[in-house]
Amino acid sequence: MAENVLKRLKEAVLNYDVEGAVAVAKEVIETGFDPLIAIEQGLGEGLSIVGAKFEAEEIFLPELMIAAQAMKESLATLEPALAKGKSRKVLGKVIIGTVEGDIHDIGKSIVATMLTVNGFEVHDLGCDTPTSKFVEKAKEVKPDIIGMSALLTTTMVKMAEVINALKKVGLRGQVKVIVGGAPVSAAWAEEIEADAYAEDAMACVDVAKKLLSK
Amino acid sequence: MNPHERLMAFLEGRKEDADRLPVWCSTRTFTLDGMKIFDAYWPKAHKDPETMARLAAGVYELTGNENMSVPFDMTLEAEALGAPCEYFEGKIKWISVKRFIATDIYEMDIPEDPSEFAKRGRIPVCIEAIRILKKKYGGKVPVTGIVTCPLTSVGGYLIDPAEFHKYMIKEPERIHRIYETLNPYYAAVANAFKEAGADVIVFTEEGASLDNISPKHFDQFVKPHLTELIGMVKPPRVLHICGSLISRGLEVITSMIDCGAEAITIEERTPMSEARKIADEHRAGYVIGGNVDPYNVIHNSSIDAIRSRVKKVVADGVDMVSPGCDYWIETSTEHIREFVNAAIEYGTPPRWKKEED
């Protein structure tokens, strides 16, 4: 039975079956199976395979986006049932968003998804995110990393604004900042005193892991 | 041969007649130098036909690049379907949509009659600009009309791309419905461009590369609908897709060719030698354009590096030398001129005439 649930959860993710994954998640709760094991060994295993397949170009954006949705919706069922004091193991907490004035969302969503499937807890603020929202969310969830994306040369400056706002409220020292997006470069990251630049989603996962192991 | 005669020879299946390879930009033609010299700045050049024509022709006038094309961005059709656009008055910025307004075809603002569609937004500006260009340059320098195809246009500017991509798996009929509904409207834009005097229509479908979707989804969604769209427009037609088209044993070059255009153009992430080989195996001698990196090479490299890259692309079997996408806006006139000159030098005579000698 236990094995069956884990296998079915993993397979639902691998089959891009959102409703199927949620149905198994509900079954986990109803049968009293440990939700933490379901998350880590069912959902988690399915997702790490999805991540590896995306990296190997065996699957593409549509598949990645659906798998991420399957995970998000099953987690919404499983996480509230976790025993007090217990939480799923995460590599770190990440807040991510496209900066204000910029509605380019897809690249940032890929990064968020790849961070998630690789074991990070990701809070995606979406696109056109005001600086104040980055700061408020940082106060609330106490992230290890803040990721910012900009696809326009004119909105890149907002990244510096967010970093300065974090300094003002005394949070800058507690988080690592990663920046990315088409016009963004390592030189820009250095100029605005971000901790790192990531060229694409896979690079961001590597950079995030490195920053947290320091 | 003049630039018009030469490009037409390639697009009309008589490349053997050509004295050398054409060198053009298969996507959009504008530079900052052109804006300054011809007083044709954005956003005015998006909205005023005379200014649009001056900017489009500017690259030819300054560098000898052998075509001129409109519009200058990818939001033209999406705006005409209701996407709210920001023009950034007083700044030189790409037009951007303010928000995504739709989740399905029913939420878009579609006129009943496709011919009405060509009267919307900036489409009449482009039509008038093409008339102006045709009058001045007709028969001498080719005029290109660009149509951004439904997948890219809708999935990039009308529907949130993260959601749009999920429909491919969860609700494929929604994607089919979007293409099927919009094809006659996008064809009406292309045909209006042609009637105004465009010598060639370039269909761009940037969202369909291997960076985004699988070859399976390409064949399921893109190929049948682009074949239909391209079939609604008289030749010559070119299909351009930016991004990676060959990767790790996968390719969509053959499917692109099957869409029925007279030529395809590709960017630098797709290796020309491999594209040439795949194309020749599928349809020997099929016309391919591309694929010199407009940013890293033409804009950002030395003249020597630009020349050696052009030489390599010609040796790899390109038919129509082109940047992989629009010239980067800040590229110097000198760099584009050197790129054009190198293409003329290495493209004369074309390789099939060399082989005869």
Side-chain angles (χ1 to χ4, degrees):
Chain A
M1 157 65 205
E3 199 183 308
N4 190 16
V5 169
L6 296 179
K7 196 178 153 203
R8 282 191 289 137
L9 207 44
K10 181 173 147 186
E11 273 173 4
V13 171
L14 291 175
N15 290 328
Y16 314 110
D17 178 4
V18 178
E19 288 77 18
V22 173
V24 184
K26 283 183 179 152
E27 200 184 313
V28 166
I29 305 298
E30 282 157 14
T31 55
F33 187 83
D34 185 346
L36 191 61
I37 294 176
I39 291 170
E40 287 178 350
Q41 294 176 27
L43 221 44
E45 279 198 22
L47 281 158
S48 67
I49 296 172
V50 166
K53 281 185 166 186
F54 183 74
E55 201 184 343
E57 288 178 67
E58 285 171 31
I59 62 166
F60 298 83
L61 273 192
E63 294 83 3
L64 183 70
M65 291 295 156
I66 291 272
Q69 191 186 352
M71 179 203 63
K72 208 170 154 189
E73 292 191 14
S74 354
L75 272 183
T77 301
L78 295 170
E79 278 193 318
L82 288 178
K84 269 214 173 102
K86 271 196 173 182
S87 58
R88 66 188 170 106
K89 250 181 272 161
V90 292
L91 291 179
K93 282 188 201 171
V94 183
I95 288 178
I96 190 167
T98 305
V99 295
E100 190 172 7
D102 205 322
I103 66 150
H104 294 86
D105 205 33
I106 191 75
K108 184 269 305 154
S109 300
I110 298 170
V111 174
T113 305
M114 288 304 281
L115 284 168
T116 308
V117 304
N118 280 283
F120 288 87
E121 179 186 319
V122 179
H123 301 264
D124 189 344
L125 303 178
C127 57
D128 194 8
T129 309
T131 297
S132 58
K133 200 169 160 193
F134 276 104
V135 176
E136 279 160 31
K137 197 75 184 174
K139 283 182 188 163
E140 180 196 328
V141 305
K142 308 250 179 323
D144 303 291
I145 292 170
I146 293 181
M148 286 185 276
S149 165
L151 269 291
L152 300 169
T153 48
T154 44
T155 53
M156 275 163 67
V157 292
K158 291 283 175 186
M159 294 174 161
E161 193 180 292
V162 172
I163 290 176
N164 286 333
L166 289 170
K167 281 180 190 162
K168 260 188 200 154
V169 296
L171 283 175
R172 181 65 187 92
Q174 296 152 47
V175 295
K176 303 285 185 190
V177 175
I178 306 177
V179 293
V184 178
S185 62
W188 174 251
E190 202 173 314
E191 191 179 325
I192 62 168
E193 295 174 5
D195 294 285
Y197 158 74
E199 195 185 354
D200 58 22
M202 282 322 298
C204 189
V205 171
D206 291 342
V207 165
K209 284 181 181 169
K210 267 182 210 145
L211 283 177
L212 294 190
S213 67
K214 270 180 191 168
Chain B
M1 269 187 145
N2 70 27
H4 177 266
E5 292 163 343
R6 191 175 298 112
L7 188 73
M8 289 305 120
F10 277 78
L11 297 178
E12 288 170 358
R14 341 170 247 108
K15 68 179 178 185
E16 298 72 25
D17 296 349
D19 54 346
R20 62 164 168 85
L21 305 187
V23 49
W24 69 320
C25 175
S26 65
T27 57
R28 306 152 198 95
T29 55
F30 56 84
T31 59
L32 206 51
D33 275 0
M35 289 184 200
K36 287 176 190 160
I37 291 165
F38 301 104
D39 186 25
Y41 290 91
W42 288 353
K44 194 184 175 196
H46 293 303
K47 297 190 249 180
D48 172 60
E50 291 279 350
T51 314
M52 178 180 272
R54 283 205 305 280
L55 181 57
V59 182
Y60 162 75
E61 291 287 354
L62 293 173
T63 71
N65 171 78
E66 295 174 339
N67 76 314
M68 38 196 68
S69 58
V70 299
F72 305 122
D73 84 314
M74 292 157 68
T75 60
L76 185 78
E77 298 81 4
E79 184 185 42
L81 290 168
C85 285
E86 172 62 61
Y87 285 80
F88 303 103
E89 284 300 335
K91 291 178 188 161
I92 298 169
K93 284 181 63 174
W94 271 263
I95 297 170
S96 156
V97 297
K98 293 176 188 165
R99 59 185 179 278
F100 300 114
I101 58 150
T103 58
D104 204 336
I105 194 78
Y106 313 115
E107 292 156 11
M108 297 172 204
D109 179 15
I110 305 173
E112 240 173 72
D113 184 353
S115 66
E116 285 297 307
F117 188 59
K119 296 177 187 163
R120 287 188 170 192
R122 281 169 283 139
I123 300 170
V125 180
C126 296
I127 292 170
E128 188 51 34
I130 289 170
R131 268 197 209 109
I132 294 166
L133 291 170
K134 185 68 174 186
K135 202 171 164 201
K136 188 164 178 196
Y137 300 96
K140 288 179 280 205
V141 188
V143 179
T144 311
I146 314 253
V147 171
T148 302
C149 296
L151 188 88
T152 306
S153 176
V154 172
Y157 304 107
L158 285 157
I159 298 179
D160 181 343
E163 293 306 314
F164 183 84
H165 282 91
K166 288 181 197 165
Y167 302 141
M168 291 190 179
I169 293 168
K170 281 205 297 192
E171 221 185 311
E173 59 282 9
R174 196 184 297 215
I175 309 280
H176 288 300
R177 189 158 66 223
I178 287 166
Y179 257 127
E180 277 160 17
T181 310
L182 294 181
N183 268 349
Y185 294 86
Y186 285 52
V189 175
N191 286 324
F193 287 172
K194 279 242 151 141
E195 267 169 43
D199 298 296
V200 51
I201 300 297
V202 177
F203 294 91
T204 68
E205 191 66 298
E206 282 87 344
S209 78
L210 292 173
D211 296 332
N212 291 352
I213 64 170
S214 64
K216 187 180 137 253
H217 279 156
F218 192 103
D219 286 351
Q220 183 183 349
F221 300 112
V222 182
K223 184 168 142 180
H225 297 301
L226 278 193
T227 304
E228 185 196 47
L229 173 58
I230 290 169
M232 290 172 173
V233 178
K234 277 191 204 138
R237 304 147 303 187
V238 171
L239 175 58
H240 173 85
I241 300 183
C242 282
S244 162
L245 305 168
I246 303 172
S247 179
R248 306 196 199 194
L250 305 173
E251 60 91 9
V252 290
I253 297 283
T254 48
S255 292
M256 276 179 78
I257 293 173
D258 287 343
C259 289
E262 282 63 43
I264 59 168
T265 57
I266 62 176
E267 68 140 270
E268 55 281 0
R269 273 182 288 167
T270 302
M272 184 55 70
S273 56
E274 288 178 42
R276 176 80 267 160
K277 190 162 169 273
I278 292 169
D280 280 343
E281 279 166 10
H282 191 59
R283 204 175 303 169
Y286 187 83
V287 177
I288 306 179
N291 72 342
V292 178
D293 187 330
Y295 184 81
N296 290 307
V297 176
I298 304 176
H299 170 60
N300 231 1
S301 293
S302 66
I303 304 295
D304 282 348
I306 296 169
R307 289 178 54 80
S308 68
R309 191 65 216 166
V310 171
K311 189 178 180 185
K312 169 95 166 66
V313 168
V314 171
D316 284 349
V318 74
D319 294 304
M320 309 181 295
V321 182
S322 168
C325 194
D326 314 344
Y327 291 110
W328 173 245
I329 188 164
E330 293 171 293
T331 311
S332 71
T333 293
E334 186 204 356
H335 275 213
I336 300 180
R337 207 177 275 155
E338 291 292 342
F339 165 72
V340 169
N341 290 343
I344 293 172
E345 183 183 329
Y346 296 119
T348 313
R351 65 180 184 285
W352 41 90
K353 291 202 173 156
K354 278 181 203 159
E355 282 157 13
E356 279 169 19
D357 290 343

